[in-house]
PDB file of all heavy atoms in Angstrom:
ATOM      1  N   GLY A 106      -4.191  15.280  -0.314  1.00 88.00           N
ATOM      2  CA  GLY A 106      -3.782  16.662  -0.088  1.00 88.00           C
ATOM      3  C   GLY A 106      -4.131  17.550  -1.268  1.00 88.00           C
ATOM      4  O   GLY A 106      -4.654  18.668  -1.103  1.00 88.00           O
ATOM      5  N   ILE A 107      -3.858  17.054  -2.471  1.00 86.00           N
ATOM      6  CA  ILE A 107      -4.193  17.817  -3.681  1.00 86.00           C
ATOM      7  C   ILE A 107      -5.708  18.010  -3.794  1.00 86.00           C
ATOM      8  O   ILE A 107      -6.192  19.106  -4.106  1.00 86.00           O
ATOM      9  CB  ILE A 107      -3.651  17.094  -4.927  1.00 86.00           C
ATOM     10  CG1 ILE A 107      -2.118  17.120  -4.925  1.00 86.00           C
ATOM     11  CG2 ILE A 107      -4.192  17.726  -6.206  1.00 86.00           C
ATOM     12  CD1 ILE A 107      -1.495  16.254  -5.997  1.00 86.00           C
ATOM     13  N   LEU A 108      -6.465  16.942  -3.507  1.00 86.00           N
ATOM     14  CA  LEU A 108      -7.924  17.031  -3.577  1.00 86.00           C
ATOM     15  C   LEU A 108      -8.478  18.061  -2.605  1.00 86.00           C
ATOM     16  O   LEU A 108      -9.387  18.822  -2.937  1.00 86.00           O
ATOM     17  CB  LEU A 108      -8.542  15.653  -3.300  1.00 86.00           C
ATOM     18  CG  LEU A 108      -8.398  14.603  -4.401  1.00 86.00           C
ATOM     19  CD1 LEU A 108      -8.876  13.246  -3.912  1.00 86.00           C
ATOM     20  CD2 LEU A 108      -9.169  15.020  -5.643  1.00 86.00           C
ATOM     21  N   LEU A 109      -7.922  18.090  -1.399  1.00 91.00           N
ATOM     22  CA  LEU A 109      -8.381  19.066  -0.416  1.00 91.00           C
ATOM     23  C   LEU A 109      -8.074  20.495  -0.868  1.00 91.00           C
ATOM     24  O   LEU A 109      -8.914  21.394  -0.715  1.00 91.00           O
ATOM     25  CB  LEU A 109      -7.736  18.792   0.950  1.00 91.00           C
ATOM     26  CG  LEU A 109      -8.301  17.619   1.740  1.00 91.00           C
ATOM     27  CD1 LEU A 109      -7.489  17.381   3.011  1.00 91.00           C
ATOM     28  CD2 LEU A 109      -9.766  17.858   2.101  1.00 91.00           C
ATOM     29  N   MET A 110      -6.886  20.702  -1.407  1.00 91.00           N
ATOM     30  CA  MET A 110      -6.542  22.049  -1.869  1.00 91.00           C
ATOM     31  C   MET A 110      -7.448  22.473  -3.026  1.00 91.00           C
ATOM     32  O   MET A 110      -7.892  23.627  -3.092  1.00 91.00           O
ATOM     33  CB  MET A 110      -5.068  22.099  -2.278  1.00 91.00           C
ATOM     34  CG  MET A 110      -4.109  22.074  -1.095  1.00 91.00           C
ATOM     35  SD  MET A 110      -2.386  22.396  -1.547  1.00 91.00           S
ATOM     36  CE  MET A 110      -1.944  20.821  -2.310  1.00 91.00           C
ATOM     37  N   VAL A 111      -7.721  21.550  -3.933  1.00 88.00           N
ATOM     38  CA  VAL A 111      -8.630  21.867  -5.036  1.00 88.00           C
ATOM     39  C   VAL A 111     -10.041  22.141  -4.507  1.00 88.00           C
ATOM     40  O   VAL A 111     -10.703  23.097  -4.918  1.00 88.00           O
ATOM     41  CB  VAL A 111      -8.651  20.719  -6.065  1.00 88.00           C
ATOM     42  CG1 VAL A 111      -9.753  20.931  -7.098  1.00 88.00           C
ATOM     43  CG2 VAL A 111      -7.295  20.593  -6.745  1.00 88.00           C
ATOM     44  N   PHE A 112     -10.489  21.294  -3.567  1.00 91.00           N
ATOM     45  CA  PHE A 112     -11.838  21.450  -3.012  1.00 91.00           C
ATOM     46  C   PHE A 112     -11.988  22.782  -2.281  1.00 91.00           C
ATOM     47  O   PHE A 112     -13.087  23.347  -2.240  1.00 91.00           O
ATOM     48  CB  PHE A 112     -12.136  20.288  -2.060  1.00 91.00           C
ATOM     49  CG  PHE A 112     -13.520  20.315  -1.474  1.00 91.00           C
ATOM     50  CD1 PHE A 112     -14.633  20.031  -2.253  1.00 91.00           C
ATOM     51  CD2 PHE A 112     -13.728  20.643  -0.139  1.00 91.00           C
ATOM     52  CE1 PHE A 112     -15.916  20.061  -1.719  1.00 91.00           C
ATOM     53  CE2 PHE A 112     -15.000  20.675   0.401  1.00 91.00           C
ATOM     54  CZ  PHE A 112     -16.101  20.383  -0.390  1.00 91.00           C
ATOM     55  N   SER A 113     -10.923  23.296  -1.697  1.00 94.00           N
ATOM     56  CA  SER A 113     -11.002  24.559  -0.953  1.00 94.00           C
ATOM     57  C   SER A 113     -11.491  25.704  -1.846  1.00 94.00           C
ATOM     58  O   SER A 113     -12.161  26.627  -1.376  1.00 94.00           O
ATOM     59  CB  SER A 113      -9.645  24.909  -0.339  1.00 94.00           C
ATOM     60  OG  SER A 113      -8.703  25.242  -1.339  1.00 94.00           O
ATOM     61  N   PHE A 114     -11.181  25.627  -3.145  1.00 94.00           N
ATOM     62  CA  PHE A 114     -11.600  26.697  -4.053  1.00 94.00           C
ATOM     63  C   PHE A 114     -13.099  26.662  -4.339  1.00 94.00           C
ATOM     64  O   PHE A 114     -13.636  27.601  -4.924  1.00 94.00           O
ATOM     65  CB  PHE A 114     -10.799  26.616  -5.358  1.00 94.00           C
ATOM     66  CG  PHE A 114      -9.375  27.086  -5.204  1.00 94.00           C
ATOM     67  CD1 PHE A 114      -8.367  26.185  -4.901  1.00 94.00           C
ATOM     68  CD2 PHE A 114      -9.061  28.433  -5.324  1.00 94.00           C
ATOM     69  CE1 PHE A 114      -7.053  26.615  -4.732  1.00 94.00           C
ATOM     70  CE2 PHE A 114      -7.753  28.876  -5.160  1.00 94.00           C
ATOM     71  CZ  PHE A 114      -6.746  27.969  -4.859  1.00 94.00           C
ATOM     72  N   SER A 115     -13.783  25.579  -3.927  1.00 93.00           N
ATOM     73  CA  SER A 115     -15.240  25.546  -4.066  1.00 93.00           C
ATOM     74  C   SER A 115     -15.904  26.513  -3.088  1.00 93.00           C
ATOM     75  O   SER A 115     -17.116  26.744  -3.165  1.00 93.00           O
ATOM     76  CB  SER A 115     -15.766  24.124  -3.841  1.00 93.00           C
ATOM     77  OG  SER A 115     -15.615  23.724  -2.491  1.00 93.00           O
ATOM     78  N   MET A 116     -15.123  27.085  -2.166  1.00 96.00           N
ATOM     79  CA  MET A 116     -15.656  28.084  -1.237  1.00 96.00           C
ATOM     80  C   MET A 116     -15.755  29.470  -1.879  1.00 96.00           C
ATOM     81  O   MET A 116     -16.384  30.366  -1.323  1.00 96.00           O
ATOM     82  CB  MET A 116     -14.763  28.178   0.015  1.00 96.00           C
ATOM     83  CG  MET A 116     -14.603  26.866   0.757  1.00 96.00           C
ATOM     84  SD  MET A 116     -16.154  26.241   1.413  1.00 96.00           S
ATOM     85  CE  MET A 116     -15.921  24.477   1.161  1.00 96.00           C
ATOM     86  N   VAL A 117     -15.127  29.658  -3.025  1.00 96.00           N
ATOM     87  CA  VAL A 117     -15.105  30.982  -3.665  1.00 96.00           C
ATOM     88  C   VAL A 117     -16.487  31.403  -4.176  1.00 96.00           C
ATOM     89  O   VAL A 117     -16.932  32.529  -3.894  1.00 96.00           O
ATOM     90  CB  VAL A 117     -14.052  31.008  -4.796  1.00 96.00           C
ATOM     91  CG1 VAL A 117     -14.125  32.346  -5.549  1.00 96.00           C
ATOM     92  CG2 VAL A 117     -12.652  30.795  -4.219  1.00 96.00           C
ATOM     93  N   PRO A 118     -17.218  30.545  -4.931  1.00 96.00           N
ATOM     94  CA  PRO A 118     -18.547  30.974  -5.383  1.00 96.00           C
ATOM     95  C   PRO A 118     -19.498  31.375  -4.249  1.00 96.00           C
ATOM     96  O   PRO A 118     -20.179  32.407  -4.368  1.00 96.00           O
ATOM     97  CB  PRO A 118     -19.068  29.755  -6.153  1.00 96.00           C
ATOM     98  CG  PRO A 118     -17.830  29.069  -6.628  1.00 96.00           C
ATOM     99  CD  PRO A 118     -16.846  29.239  -5.528  1.00 96.00           C
ATOM    100  N   PRO A 119     -19.562  30.632  -3.116  1.00 96.00           N
ATOM    101  CA  PRO A 119     -20.419  31.103  -2.027  1.00 96.00           C
ATOM    102  C   PRO A 119     -19.991  32.460  -1.456  1.00 96.00           C
ATOM    103  O   PRO A 119     -20.844  33.244  -1.011  1.00 96.00           O
ATOM    104  CB  PRO A 119     -20.275  29.998  -0.964  1.00 96.00           C
ATOM    105  CG  PRO A 119     -19.913  28.781  -1.725  1.00 96.00           C
ATOM    106  CD  PRO A 119     -19.048  29.270  -2.847  1.00 96.00           C
ATOM    107  N   VAL A 120     -18.687  32.744  -1.473  1.00 96.00           N
ATOM    108  CA  VAL A 120     -18.225  34.059  -1.026  1.00 96.00           C
ATOM    109  C   VAL A 120     -18.786  35.145  -1.945  1.00 96.00           C
ATOM    110  O   VAL A 120     -19.253  36.198  -1.478  1.00 96.00           O
ATOM    111  CB  VAL A 120     -16.671  34.126  -1.004  1.00 96.00           C
ATOM    112  CG1 VAL A 120     -16.202  35.560  -0.774  1.00 96.00           C
ATOM    113  CG2 VAL A 120     -16.122  33.219   0.089  1.00 96.00           C
ATOM    114  N   VAL A 121     -18.767  34.894  -3.245  1.00 96.00           N
ATOM    115  CA  VAL A 121     -19.318  35.845  -4.206  1.00 96.00           C
ATOM    116  C   VAL A 121     -20.811  36.039  -3.976  1.00 96.00           C
ATOM    117  O   VAL A 121     -21.326  37.170  -3.996  1.00 96.00           O
ATOM    118  CB  VAL A 121     -19.047  35.374  -5.655  1.00 96.00           C
ATOM    119  CG1 VAL A 121     -19.721  36.292  -6.664  1.00 96.00           C
ATOM    120  CG2 VAL A 121     -17.547  35.290  -5.917  1.00 96.00           C
ATOM    121  N   VAL A 122     -21.524  34.917  -3.739  1.00 96.00           N
ATOM    122  CA  VAL A 122     -22.967  35.000  -3.468  1.00 96.00           C
ATOM    123  C   VAL A 122     -23.226  35.799  -2.192  1.00 96.00           C
ATOM    124  O   VAL A 122     -24.127  36.658  -2.141  1.00 96.00           O
ATOM    125  CB  VAL A 122     -23.575  33.586  -3.349  1.00 96.00           C
ATOM    126  CG1 VAL A 122     -25.041  33.663  -2.907  1.00 96.00           C
ATOM    127  CG2 VAL A 122     -23.463  32.837  -4.670  1.00 96.00           C
ATOM    128  N   ALA A 123     -22.441  35.541  -1.153  1.00 95.00           N
ATOM    129  CA  ALA A 123     -22.598  36.261   0.113  1.00 95.00           C
ATOM    130  C   ALA A 123     -22.348  37.745  -0.074  1.00 95.00           C
ATOM    131  O   ALA A 123     -23.068  38.600   0.490  1.00 95.00           O
ATOM    132  CB  ALA A 123     -21.643  35.686   1.165  1.00 95.00           C
ATOM    133  N   TRP A 124     -21.325  38.096  -0.855  1.00 95.00           N
ATOM    134  CA  TRP A 124     -21.023  39.504  -1.112  1.00 95.00           C
ATOM    135  C   TRP A 124     -22.149  40.158  -1.918  1.00 95.00           C
ATOM    136  O   TRP A 124     -22.570  41.278  -1.620  1.00 95.00           O
ATOM    137  CB  TRP A 124     -19.702  39.612  -1.877  1.00 95.00           C
ATOM    138  CG  TRP A 124     -19.427  40.999  -2.377  1.00 95.00           C
ATOM    139  CD1 TRP A 124     -18.926  42.058  -1.669  1.00 95.00           C
ATOM    140  CD2 TRP A 124     -19.682  41.484  -3.705  1.00 95.00           C
ATOM    141  NE1 TRP A 124     -18.849  43.166  -2.474  1.00 95.00           N
ATOM    142  CE2 TRP A 124     -19.304  42.853  -3.730  1.00 95.00           C
ATOM    143  CE3 TRP A 124     -20.180  40.896  -4.875  1.00 95.00           C
ATOM    144  CZ2 TRP A 124     -19.410  43.632  -4.885  1.00 95.00           C
ATOM    145  CZ3 TRP A 124     -20.296  41.667  -6.012  1.00 95.00           C
ATOM    146  CH2 TRP A 124     -19.907  43.018  -6.007  1.00 95.00           C
ATOM    147  N   TYR A 125     -22.669  39.437  -2.920  1.00 95.00           N
ATOM    148  CA  TYR A 125     -23.711  40.010  -3.782  1.00 95.00           C
ATOM    149  C   TYR A 125     -24.995  40.290  -3.000  1.00 95.00           C
ATOM    150  O   TYR A 125     -25.633  41.322  -3.168  1.00 95.00           O
ATOM    151  CB  TYR A 125     -23.996  39.056  -4.938  1.00 95.00           C
ATOM    152  CG  TYR A 125     -25.040  39.556  -5.907  1.00 95.00           C
ATOM    153  CD1 TYR A 125     -24.698  40.448  -6.921  1.00 95.00           C
ATOM    154  CD2 TYR A 125     -26.376  39.142  -5.821  1.00 95.00           C
ATOM    155  CE1 TYR A 125     -25.645  40.923  -7.814  1.00 95.00           C
ATOM    156  CE2 TYR A 125     -27.328  39.603  -6.703  1.00 95.00           C
ATOM    157  CZ  TYR A 125     -26.957  40.496  -7.700  1.00 95.00           C
ATOM    158  OH  TYR A 125     -27.910  40.971  -8.574  1.00 95.00           O
ATOM    159  N   TYR A 126     -25.374  39.340  -2.137  1.00 94.00           N
ATOM    160  CA  TYR A 126     -26.616  39.495  -1.376  1.00 94.00           C
ATOM    161  C   TYR A 126     -26.408  40.149  -0.013  1.00 94.00           C
ATOM    162  O   TYR A 126     -27.378  40.357   0.720  1.00 94.00           O
ATOM    163  CB  TYR A 126     -27.292  38.131  -1.194  1.00 94.00           C
ATOM    164  CG  TYR A 126     -27.923  37.604  -2.459  1.00 94.00           C
ATOM    165  CD1 TYR A 126     -27.287  36.632  -3.224  1.00 94.00           C
ATOM    166  CD2 TYR A 126     -29.151  38.077  -2.901  1.00 94.00           C
ATOM    167  CE1 TYR A 126     -27.858  36.144  -4.393  1.00 94.00           C
ATOM    168  CE2 TYR A 126     -29.731  37.598  -4.065  1.00 94.00           C
ATOM    169  CZ  TYR A 126     -29.081  36.629  -4.813  1.00 94.00           C
ATOM    170  OH  TYR A 126     -29.648  36.153  -5.965  1.00 94.00           O
ATOM    171  N   GLN A 127     -25.145  40.416   0.323  1.00 93.00           N
ATOM    172  CA  GLN A 127     -24.820  41.057   1.595  1.00 93.00           C
ATOM    173  C   GLN A 127     -25.489  40.334   2.773  1.00 93.00           C
ATOM    174  O   GLN A 127     -26.152  40.951   3.623  1.00 93.00           O
ATOM    175  CB  GLN A 127     -25.268  42.538   1.571  1.00 93.00           C
ATOM    176  CG  GLN A 127     -24.536  43.398   0.551  1.00 93.00           C
ATOM    177  CD  GLN A 127     -23.054  43.560   0.888  1.00 93.00           C
ATOM    178  OE1 GLN A 127     -22.712  44.084   1.950  1.00 93.00           O
ATOM    179  NE2 GLN A 127     -22.192  43.106  -0.006  1.00 93.00           N
ATOM    180  N   ASP A 128     -25.299  39.014   2.821  1.00 91.00           N
ATOM    181  CA  ASP A 128     -25.984  38.223   3.847  1.00 91.00           C
ATOM    182  C   ASP A 128     -25.096  37.898   5.050  1.00 91.00           C
ATOM    183  O   ASP A 128     -25.503  37.148   5.940  1.00 91.00           O
ATOM    184  CB  ASP A 128     -26.573  36.942   3.249  1.00 91.00           C
ATOM    185  CG  ASP A 128     -25.517  35.996   2.677  1.00 91.00           C
ATOM    186  OD1 ASP A 128     -24.321  36.151   3.009  1.00 91.00           O
ATOM    187  OD2 ASP A 128     -25.883  35.094   1.902  1.00 91.00           O
ATOM    188  N   GLY A 129     -23.863  38.408   5.061  1.00 89.00           N
ATOM    189  CA  GLY A 129     -23.004  38.245   6.234  1.00 89.00           C
ATOM    190  C   GLY A 129     -22.311  36.906   6.352  1.00 89.00           C
ATOM    191  O   GLY A 129     -21.776  36.590   7.420  1.00 89.00           O
ATOM    192  N   SER A 130     -22.275  36.119   5.278  1.00 92.00           N
ATOM    193  CA  SER A 130     -21.666  34.780   5.352  1.00 92.00           C
ATOM    194  C   SER A 130     -20.243  34.736   4.801  1.00 92.00           C
ATOM    195  O   SER A 130     -19.635  33.663   4.749  1.00 92.00           O
ATOM    196  CB  SER A 130     -22.525  33.770   4.569  1.00 92.00           C
ATOM    197  OG  SER A 130     -23.816  33.673   5.119  1.00 92.00           O
ATOM    198  N   GLU A 131     -19.714  35.884   4.396  1.00 94.00           N
ATOM    199  CA  GLU A 131     -18.404  35.887   3.744  1.00 94.00           C
ATOM    200  C   GLU A 131     -17.319  35.262   4.621  1.00 94.00           C
ATOM    201  O   GLU A 131     -16.520  34.438   4.157  1.00 94.00           O
ATOM    202  CB  GLU A 131     -17.983  37.309   3.371  1.00 94.00           C
ATOM    203  CG  GLU A 131     -18.869  37.976   2.337  1.00 94.00           C
ATOM    204  CD  GLU A 131     -19.964  38.817   2.965  1.00 94.00           C
ATOM    205  OE1 GLU A 131     -20.313  38.533   4.138  1.00 94.00           O
ATOM    206  OE2 GLU A 131     -20.451  39.728   2.297  1.00 94.00           O
ATOM    207  N   LEU A 132     -17.286  35.655   5.888  1.00 95.00           N
ATOM    208  CA  LEU A 132     -16.200  35.200   6.767  1.00 95.00           C
ATOM    209  C   LEU A 132     -16.230  33.684   6.977  1.00 95.00           C
ATOM    210  O   LEU A 132     -15.183  33.053   7.074  1.00 95.00           O
ATOM    211  CB  LEU A 132     -16.276  35.925   8.111  1.00 95.00           C
ATOM    212  CG  LEU A 132     -15.898  37.415   8.087  1.00 95.00           C
ATOM    213  CD1 LEU A 132     -16.040  38.020   9.479  1.00 95.00           C
ATOM    214  CD2 LEU A 132     -14.476  37.608   7.573  1.00 95.00           C
ATOM    215  N   ALA A 133     -17.420  33.116   7.038  1.00 95.00           N
ATOM    216  CA  ALA A 133     -17.531  31.662   7.236  1.00 95.00           C
ATOM    217  C   ALA A 133     -16.893  30.905   6.073  1.00 95.00           C
ATOM    218  O   ALA A 133     -16.170  29.927   6.275  1.00 95.00           O
ATOM    219  CB  ALA A 133     -19.001  31.264   7.390  1.00 95.00           C
TER     220      ALA A 133
END
Side-chain angles (χ1 to χ4, degrees):
I107 293 171
L108 287 172
L109 284 175
M110 287 189 285
V111 171
F112 182 72
S113 69
F114 286 92
S115 69
M116 302 297 143
V117 175
V120 170
V121 175
V122 173
W124 171 80
Y125 181 82
Y126 287 101
Q127 296 294 300
D128 63 17
S130 298
E131 295 94 336
L132 289 179

